[in-house]
Amino acid sequence: MNAGRRSLLQLLAVTAGAWSLSGPITGGSAWAQSAGSGKAPELLRIGYQKSAANLVILKQQGALEKRFPQTKVSWIEFPAGPQLLEALAVGALEFGLTGDAPPVFAQAADKDLVYVGAEPPKPDSSAILVLKDSPLRTLADLKGKKVAVQKGSSAHYLVVRALEKANLKWSDITPIYLAPADARAAFERQSVDAWAIWDPFYAATELAIQPRALATGRGLSGNNSFYLASKPFATQHPEAITALFEELTNADRFAQEHRPEAIKLIADFSGLDAGVVSLFLQRRPRSPVGLLGANTIADQQRVADAFHGLGLIPKPVRVSQIVWQPPSVRTTTTTIPVKP
C-alpha cells in the first residue's frame, strides 16, 4: 500500500469517528472517481469566504504553500457561495467551501462540480434578524413582510424552513435578494423588515446594532458547510484532496486549542473586530473535515427537495450523483434512500 492511500484510509477512519457519522458511505449512483496521477497539482486556486475559518487560518499560516511547495496556490475571496460555485464551474477555481444551498442550485443548473468533503453542522451560526425595536416577535409575523437574503445561500434555506415552521408559504413573504453587504445596509435603513444571514456578518451586526433573532438555525437547519471541487481536479488529484482534509482539520484544531492566536489571524485577514471574530468562533463547534457520510447526504437531499418543492430550482436533483469518492473506497458503496 502506497503512502498516499495509507494516509487516505487513516483520514477516513479518523473523520468518521470524530463526527460519529456512518463514515464515507455514498449513494450507489455517486460519481465514480478514477485513480489520479499521484502528482501534486501545478495550480491550486481556492475559493473562500470570510466565514471559512479553516481556510482563512490555512491562508494566514501559509500551510498549503508549505505542504505543496511545487504548486502555485492562489486564494480568491467571494462574498457568498453562489458566486464562488459559478467560478468553480467555469474553471476559475479548483476547490472551495460553501453552505448547503449553493451546491443544490449549482447542480440544478448542471454545473460541473462535485462534493468532496464537509464539516459538521453549525446551526447557531445563522439567524433571521429584526431590528431591536421591530414589532415582529414570531416567525408567523413575517407574513406580508420583506425579507433580505442572498439568493441560493444557506440563509435562503433557513428562511424556507422558518416559514414551514410558522405554517407560512413562500408566497407569504417578499424575498429581497441581496448580497450580505447590501442586505445589511437595507436592514439598517429599514428598507426590509428582516434579514437572514450567517456568521461573521451575523456576529458583526449583533455587536454593532443589537438586533433580535427571530430564529437561528437550531431546530430548522444544520447550516452544513461543504467543500467542492471541479471534476478534473478531483479526478486527477485525489491525494491532494486528502492532504487538504488533513490541513483543514489541523487548522480547526488550531482554532479550538489556540483561540487568541486564531482570533488574531482571522481578524488580521478580514479586518473584522476581534470581538466579532471571537463571537463567530464561539458559535462554531469543532469542525474537522472529511468525506460526506450517509446522514449528511440525506440532510443535503432534504435541502434540494425543499427548493424543488417551492419551484426555486428548475428540476429535482439527486445529491448522491455528484458526491465524490476517492479511489480506495469505491468498492464500499451503500444505497442512500433519497426522494425522487
Side-chain angles (χ1 to χ4, degrees):
M1 180 180 293
N2 63 39
R5 179 164 293 187
R6 181 166 56 252
S7 174
L8 177 58
L9 291 174
Q10 291 172 344
L11 176 64
L12 298 180
V14 169
T15 53
W19 293 11
S20 298
L21 295 178
S22 55
I25 300 173
T26 60
S29 58
W31 179 60
Q33 152 73 26
S34 59
S37 65
K39 298 180 180 179
E42 294 182 5
L43 179 64
L44 175 54
R45 296 166 297 180
I46 299 171
Y48 67 105
Q49 304 169 59
K50 284 184 171 61
S51 58
N54 287 346
L55 283 173
V56 170
I57 288 171
L58 286 190
K59 180 182 185 299
Q60 294 296 85
Q61 292 180 327
L64 294 185
E65 288 79 0
K66 297 171 187 174
R67 183 71 178 257
F68 301 110
Q70 305 304 316
T71 300
K72 181 179 179 182
V73 180
S74 298
W75 299 85
I76 305 169
E77 185 179 354
F78 292 85
Q83 296 92 322
L84 188 157
L85 291 190
E86 183 63 30
L88 184 66
V90 300
L93 299 174
E94 280 70 49
F95 187 80
L97 175 72
T98 79
D100 50 19
V104 168
F105 280 77
Q107 186 178 5
D110 298 317
K111 302 297 185 182
D112 195 26
L113 44 78
V114 290
Y115 295 90
V116 294
E119 295 179 1
K122 302 174 180 65
D124 295 321
S125 295
S126 61
I128 299 175
L129 304 177
V130 296
L131 294 174
K132 57 186 175 183
D133 58 353
S134 169
L136 279 63
R137 296 290 171 180
T138 69
L139 291 174
D141 293 335
L142 290 173
K143 186 173 184 178
K145 305 303 182 183
K146 295 179 181 178
V147 181
V149 63
Q150 166 74 58
K151 186 175 183 178
S153 69
S154 58
H156 196 166
Y157 181 62
L158 175 59
V159 176
V160 169
R161 292 286 293 118
L163 296 179
E164 288 178 358
K165 182 177 180 179
N167 295 314
L168 296 177
K169 300 176 182 178
W170 185 254
S171 58
D172 285 330
I173 68 164
T174 300
I176 306 297
Y177 295 123
L178 295 170
D182 293 332
R184 176 167 170 176
F187 181 67
E188 292 194 29
R189 66 173 178 261
Q190 301 183 50
S191 298
V192 296
D193 302 290
W195 177 28
I197 190 58
W198 60 91
D199 273 329
F201 305 104
Y202 169 22
T205 306
E206 186 175 11
L207 292 181
I209 63 173
Q210 293 83 48
R212 286 186 290 108
L214 287 184
T216 67
R218 188 157 295 277
L220 295 175
S221 167
N223 193 29
N224 288 314
S225 299
F226 293 98
Y227 291 90
L228 294 104
S230 67
K231 283 186 180 180
F233 182 75
T235 300
Q236 298 165 20
H237 300 290
E239 297 87 355
I241 292 175
T242 301
L244 282 163
F245 286 2
E246 292 173 349
E247 294 296 341
L248 287 162
T249 298
N250 288 340
D252 175 69
R253 188 178 301 114
F254 180 86
Q256 300 295 336
E257 298 176 1
H258 303 278
R259 186 57 57 86
E261 295 95 329
I263 291 171
K264 186 176 188 308
L265 283 177
I266 296 172
D268 287 349
F269 154 74
S270 65
L272 293 169
D273 182 82
V276 171
V277 177
S278 178
L279 178 57
F280 159 39
L281 292 180
Q282 286 173 34
R283 287 199 275 250
R284 181 179 175 274
R286 288 189 176 274
S287 299
V289 180
L291 299 174
L292 279 69
N295 293 339
T296 304
I297 294 171
D299 283 346
Q300 187 66 350
Q301 188 62 47
R302 282 188 281 273
V303 176
D305 293 341
F307 281 121
H308 180 251
L310 292 171
L312 297 175
I313 57 175
K315 63 181 181 180
V317 299
R318 289 178 62 86
V319 170
S320 61
Q321 290 179 335
I322 62 166
V323 173
W324 175 77
Q325 283 188 308
S328 58
V329 295
R330 281 185 60 188
T331 57
T332 308
T333 56
T334 299
T335 300
I336 304 302
V338 293
K339 297 179 182 179

